[in-house]
Amino acid sequence: FSSILPIPGGINLRKLILFIAMSLDGYIADQNGGVDWLRGQDDSTEENTFYDVFEKNVDTVIMVWRTYHQIVTELSPEEWVYSNKKSYVITHKRYPSAENIHFVSINPCTLARTLKQEEGKDIWICGGADIIHQFMLENLIDQYSISIIPTILGNGIPLFRPAAQEMKLRLIQVKNHHGITELIYERR
């Protein structure tokens, strides 16, 4: 399926997509914020084919400071892994923006609404749980792509928080690779 749908007048509707992994018991990080458990069911070094397919349809990434900091200090300290995408880091700290990394202190929902109106490919919500929750409360997430890692953490940072209202989704695809199951849902 195509992630960019043309509408009359030649304007593309960009989707705001939550593409994230969680433990079988619903956590996106352990209780210390660690993510070293994010792998399949054995220690082989097979590539994440879900990400490879997904990232081709995305040109913008939104994340919070904590996610950004974890990427540049732990996960990929040698290079910015999203250098071919425009990245927005939501933070109250003042940092100078770089070529494709923009540090902003704007309401995440306002940012998402603005970006969805611009031309481009889809927009990836990379993390964290706080902005995911805000996007959910405003019903801004168009697609949920959740990879279930075959690990039970028992405790940690939950992906979903209690919400004021029920949210109905439609399952559009299920994929399985290396013991990881990816579930893709759209809003109904």
Side-chain angles (χ1 to χ4, degrees):
F1 61 92
S2 173
S3 64
I4 301 176
L5 302 172
I7 60 173
I11 300 172
N12 289 325
L13 286 178
R14 299 174 80 182
K15 289 183 184 177
L16 183 63
I17 300 175
L18 174 61
F19 180 87
I20 200 161
M22 73 176 190
S23 64
L24 184 59
D25 54 345
Y27 297 105
I28 59 173
D30 65 25
Q31 59 189 358
N32 298 316
V35 293
D36 59 347
W37 53 273
L38 288 174
R39 54 185 159 272
Q41 59 194 13
D42 59 47
D43 291 331
S44 71
T45 57
E46 293 182 45
E47 294 296 315
N48 182 345
T49 58
F50 302 150
Y51 175 78
D52 295 338
V53 171
F54 167 76
E55 72 96 21
K56 291 176 183 171
N57 293 317
V58 171
D59 66 0
T60 306
V61 181
I62 300 175
M63 67 187 72
V64 295
W65 165 257
R66 187 173 179 177
T67 303
Y68 168 79
H69 187 260
Q70 186 173 43
I71 292 168
V72 299
T73 60
E74 297 174 36
L75 304 176
S76 182
E78 302 300 319
E79 68 175 312
W80 181 239
V81 292
Y82 308 121
S83 61
N84 62 338
K85 300 177 185 343
K86 189 178 280 189
S87 299
Y88 290 90
V89 180
I90 309 289
T91 180
H92 296 295
K93 302 174 187 217
R94 295 193 181 269
Y95 291 101
S97 294
E99 183 177 332
N100 277 336
I101 304 174
H102 305 277
F103 297 95
V104 297
S105 61
I106 186 174
N107 177 294
C109 296
T110 301
L111 175 63
R113 284 186 185 96
T114 300
L115 292 173
K116 286 177 84 166
Q117 297 302 313
E118 296 175 358
E119 287 193 39
K121 295 182 179 181
D122 291 333
I123 305 159
W124 174 17
I125 308 165
C126 184
D130 290 336
I131 64 168
I132 293 167
H133 185 70
Q134 290 177 51
F135 290 143
M136 288 180 64
L137 290 176
E138 296 284 328
N139 201 23
L140 289 172
I141 301 174
D142 298 298
Q143 188 176 87
Y144 294 77
S145 180
I146 302 170
S147 294
I148 310 298
I149 307 299
T151 299
I152 297 174
L153 289 176
N155 196 356
I157 299 171
L159 173 55
F160 298 114
R161 296 181 182 172
Q165 62 190 21
E166 179 180 283
M167 182 173 295
K168 295 187 183 292
L169 304 174
R170 178 180 324 285
L171 180 66
I172 60 169
Q173 194 169 21
V174 177
K175 302 177 190 176
N176 189 320
H177 176 73
H178 194 48
I180 299 170
T181 301
E182 182 182 35
L183 305 170
I184 303 175
Y185 295 93
E186 288 183 345
R187 289 187 309 202
R188 283 198 261 165

